[in-house]
Amino acid sequence: MANSRFPAAADRGVLQKCLSNSASSPFGRLKRSASSKEEASVPGRVRVAVRLRPRNAEELKADLDFADCVELEPELHRLKLRKNNWDYETFQFDEVLTEHASQKRVYEVVGKPVVESVLQGYNGTIMAYGQTGTGKTYTLGRLDEEDDSNRGIMIRAVEDLLSGISLKDDCVTVSYLQLYMETVQDLLAPEKENIPIVDDPKMRDVLIPGASVVEIRDHKSFSELLKSGEANRAVANTKLNAESSRSHAILVINVRRLVSEAQEKSSPSDQGFLVPTIRRSKLVIVDLAGSERIDKSGVGGSSLDEAKSINLSLTALGKCINAIAEGNSHVPIRDSKLTRLLRDSFGGTARTSLVITIGPSPLHRGETSSTIMFGQRAMKVENMVRLKEEFDYKSLCRRLEREIDKLLVENERHTKAMIGAEDLQRTYEEMAANQNVKHQKELKELSSRLHAVNVDREKLQLQLRDSQIEVQLEKELGEEINRRLELEAENKDLNDKVLQLQNEVNEMQRELEQMRSGYQCKADKSHPVQKMTQNSNGQNRSKSTIVKLFEQVGLQNLLALLKSPDEDVQLQALRVIANLAADEAHQVKIMEGGGLSLLLDILRKPKNDSVCGIVAGAIANLAMRELNQVRLVEEGVIELLVIIAHKAQDPQTLRMVAGALANLCGNGEIQEKLRSEGGIKVLLKMGESQYLDVQAQVARALANIAKCESKRALQEYDARSLLIEEEALPWIVEKAKDCAEVVHRHIEMALVHLAQNECNAEVLVNSGAFTELVRISHECMKEDVRSLAYRVVCASPVLQAEFLRFSSTSPGE
């Protein structure tokens, strides 16, 4: 029957005849494509990375007086192994990872290239080798569910594999084994012991048919699997490692990916035929047990037998690598089960990445040297990386059979439909003719009725439109009258409040002028340097008045007064805004309301020094908030402040400009911008002022710069200070010797922070600043500054040497 599972004999014969025609059938081309597809081999050297473990507590105590036996140069991919205090050997590796390298960084350079290769269809191996206790298991199998950043290569590799495949069509399976005392054991099924190893000559690889194979769908299930496997692994407590691995752990991850490739198309009938291709790749992650010396590890009994077995298998692995590297015709692969399991990793078809782990202690220099030489020999091994894929003919056949059945059903349905097509056509034509006559009559009747309705509707619309226009005009007129009355009332209230504010501000100005004149006379008698102050009672009265005005008028009305053509009104509004900017809550409102743009417009075209000083004070208050500092710099505040500083003569204006720059200096991200736009130069120029308040703000700015640089120095910042580059050190030293207390406390902090950067040490000694540092460490009134200065002098080799020389030349002090 036509609708059976298979086509009728006649139809099936025709189909077979068509499909068997190799000149036009897709099957013919599929066959030729399959026969012409060859496995291409690509050379791939074994990549070797070296990772240094930091000193542990015992090594810090035992090797306190000895330097590390290795010196790393990661930027040159080079390692130096000390022979003695004056000689060393140099070795080159693909990657050199310091003791500070993160687990993510290790995976990126060691594991990720291999994982990406596995996703492309190549076999891959990631292996860790080194002395016991140097961090091999930490590097590969670390789980750490509390902190994801400490996870090892195994977890990260599986996450990348699962994210790189389609869970619908692809498959990832895992086996977890250990080689203990030359027997292969299943860590996922501990009852399976002494599992045999079988060679597969067809795939040129080895198989472990008795091992458990578990399919994984997400990284969480893999973590549980890995945790259960680690619980079954053989470990022991030795002198070198509290949890020393006593077996070689081998994680085997098989990846099966379905890839569809478009075949050659020579005619339109071939369109849409895709050949499914299966890529089978394998990722092997090997955590080798650590090599150890019996006299150092202190093992005995069964642990001694374990150590002997581990050393023998590692020796066999080293012999195989030596033979492959030297090009020997015979490679002793069958000397150990470990070398049989890794036959594809060294000299085979896998892309291999090896990480060797070493420790810094000079007590284990021999083991470190042996590990380094193992890595050097492994770098000479060349593998022939081969893509492993095959065509999925069964899937293709099933798909084509479904396509044939579908076409046969469609053909049968179309045949039945054609039988009654003519009868249906005749019936339809007769019905259509009758309906056409009836519709014509109805259409004429409806057209006449519709015309009458349209005429009536147009008349009604004209009447309605006239009445709506009159109502709308009356409504709009009333609203306009009310709006004008409200605006007139608001304008009157605002003028009254501004007049009241002017009277209060004028009164405050008179009081401030009286206080300044009285203080000026007193300062002339006591000290030649002038200093500007403000009365606290006047400030409190001014602040209460400003807050009261802000609540009554509102921020937007105050900002609108900044555009007033009346200079007095504009000046009073500027003072109010400047005082409001001292409050963080008001700062946000000023920045969001466009106050910064208005202030900068006034500063670009200032009318007098008083306006410049008030605007600079407002900017100084806004710069106290770190979130505002980057925007201030982007708007060009530094350039405007530098211009005002060069032109200003008024001490109040200079103090406000210096204060604004000092607040910006506290942000390390914009210090280079300050330097390039002349901010540091203009600070030094203002530092020559005779006013103490101006000098104090300059000293605070330099102290902020030095403080930010000292923080970066703790993060391997190795450049000299901007203050030294901009020749600010002579001014600092001069003020450190003789200045008022308000300036001196900032100068001391600047010197101490400069000394925290070792790159500044020699310049501090040559400039005479070292003497002031010693004085600060002994005589400073602030205990925290005095203690910090003492620690800095003791921590710097250059300053410590200068201190010893200074002490020897001045024994009486």
Side-chain angles (χ1 to χ4, degrees), residues 65 164 228 234 352 367 389 423 739:
D65 299 331
S228 64
T352 301
E367 290 83 347
E389 62 180 16
D423 296 338
C739 65

Side-chain angles (χ1 to χ4, degrees), residues 507-521:
E507 182 182 353
M508 287 188 289
Q509 283 183 339
R510 287 193 296 271
E511 292 178 0
L512 288 174
E513 291 297 334
Q514 292 174 2
M515 287 186 288
R516 287 178 182 172
S517 61
Y519 180 77
Q520 183 69 33
C521 296

Side-chain angles (χ1 to χ4, degrees), residues 213-426:
V213 179
V214 180
E215 182 177 357
I216 56 174
R217 309 290 293 180
D218 53 68
H219 70 277
K220 183 176 180 181
S221 61
F222 174 73
S223 299
E224 297 295 330
L225 202 68
L226 192 62
K227 187 186 299 183
S228 64
E230 288 294 326
N232 297 324
R233 191 176 176 185
V235 295
N237 185 3
T238 68
K239 291 182 179 180
L240 297 179
N241 190 358
E243 295 182 358
S244 175
S245 300
R246 314 310 292 170
S247 65
H248 307 299
I250 303 169
L251 178 68
V252 182
I253 306 173
N254 290 288
V255 180
R256 179 189 179 277
R257 297 192 64 194
L258 180 64
V259 182
S260 295
E261 298 179 355
Q263 301 299 304
E264 297 179 355
K265 299 179 177 68
S266 58
S267 66
S269 61
D270 296 340
Q271 299 295 328
F273 280 95
L274 298 176
V275 178
T277 303
I278 297 177
R279 291 182 179 175
R280 301 181 187 273
S281 55
K282 178 175 66 175
L283 174 61
V284 180
I285 303 178
V286 185
D287 179 12
L288 295 175
S291 60
E292 60 184 54
R293 291 187 179 180
I294 306 305
D295 56 345
K296 291 185 178 181
S297 62
V299 297
S302 60
S303 297
L304 178 60
D305 295 335
E306 293 170 348
K308 291 179 181 179
S309 176
I310 291 170
N311 290 338
L312 285 174
S313 61
L314 293 178
T315 301
L317 178 61
K319 289 180 179 180
C320 290
I321 290 177
N322 287 342
I324 297 171
E326 294 173 0
N328 294 345
S329 59
H330 173 67
V331 179
I333 292 177
R334 294 190 170 274
D335 286 1
S336 171
K337 289 187 177 181
L338 177 63
T339 54
R340 289 186 64 192
L341 290 171
L342 299 179
R343 66 177 300 177
D344 193 45
S345 303
F346 292 97
T349 62
R351 191 180 301 278
T352 301
S353 184
L354 170 67
V355 55
I356 60 172
T357 57
I358 59 175
S361 175
L363 296 177
H364 305 300
R365 184 191 176 282
E367 290 83 347
T368 300
S369 174
S370 175
T371 301
I372 292 172
M373 295 309 299
F374 180 90
Q376 289 288 297
R377 289 190 294 271
M379 288 179 65
K380 299 178 182 179
V381 175
E382 284 277 353
N383 291 349
M384 296 303 294
V385 182
R386 181 179 292 110
L387 182 66
K388 298 186 177 182
E389 62 180 16
E390 59 188 24
F391 290 119
D392 190 1
Y393 292 109
K394 295 181 180 179
S395 176
L396 178 62
C397 289
R398 288 193 299 269
R399 184 162 60 87
L400 290 176
E401 286 182 356
R402 288 194 299 270
E403 195 69 25
I404 291 172
D405 291 343
K406 180 180 177 182
L407 291 174
L408 291 174
V409 172
E410 286 288 331
N411 184 45
E412 182 179 0
R413 188 175 70 251
H414 289 164
T415 302
K416 291 181 179 179
M418 288 293 292
I419 295 174
E422 294 181 358
D423 296 338
L424 291 174
Q425 182 67 25
R426 287 192 298 270

Side-chain angles (χ1 to χ4, degrees), residues 123-220:
N123 285 352
T125 300
I126 304 172
M127 187 168 68
Y129 178 91
Q131 182 191 6
T132 183
T134 54
K136 298 182 298 301
T137 302
Y138 175 83
T139 299
L140 294 182
R142 176 78 174 188
L143 292 174
D144 205 335
E145 298 176 350
E146 298 179 357
D147 188 357
D148 289 348
S149 62
N150 288 332
R151 295 175 303 166
I153 289 177
M154 290 182 179
I155 294 291
R156 296 176 185 271
V158 171
E159 287 182 354
D160 282 357
L161 286 175
L162 291 175
S163 63
I165 66 171
S166 170
L167 296 178
K168 178 181 177 181
D169 300 324
D170 305 334
C171 175
V172 176
T173 59
V174 172
S175 298
Y176 198 15
L177 312 169
Q178 72 171 354
L179 183 61
Y180 176 73
M181 299 288 288
E182 282 300 303
T183 61
V184 179
Q185 300 176 356
D186 195 334
L187 292 176
L188 303 181
E191 68 276 3
K192 296 182 179 180
E193 297 182 354
N194 200 13
I195 302 174
I197 301 174
V198 179
D199 293 327
D200 185 1
K202 180 180 179 181
M203 300 299 295
R204 305 175 188 176
D205 202 352
V206 293
L207 302 177
I208 309 174
S212 300
V213 179
V214 180
E215 182 177 357
I216 56 174
R217 309 290 293 180
D218 53 68
H219 70 277
K220 183 176 180 181

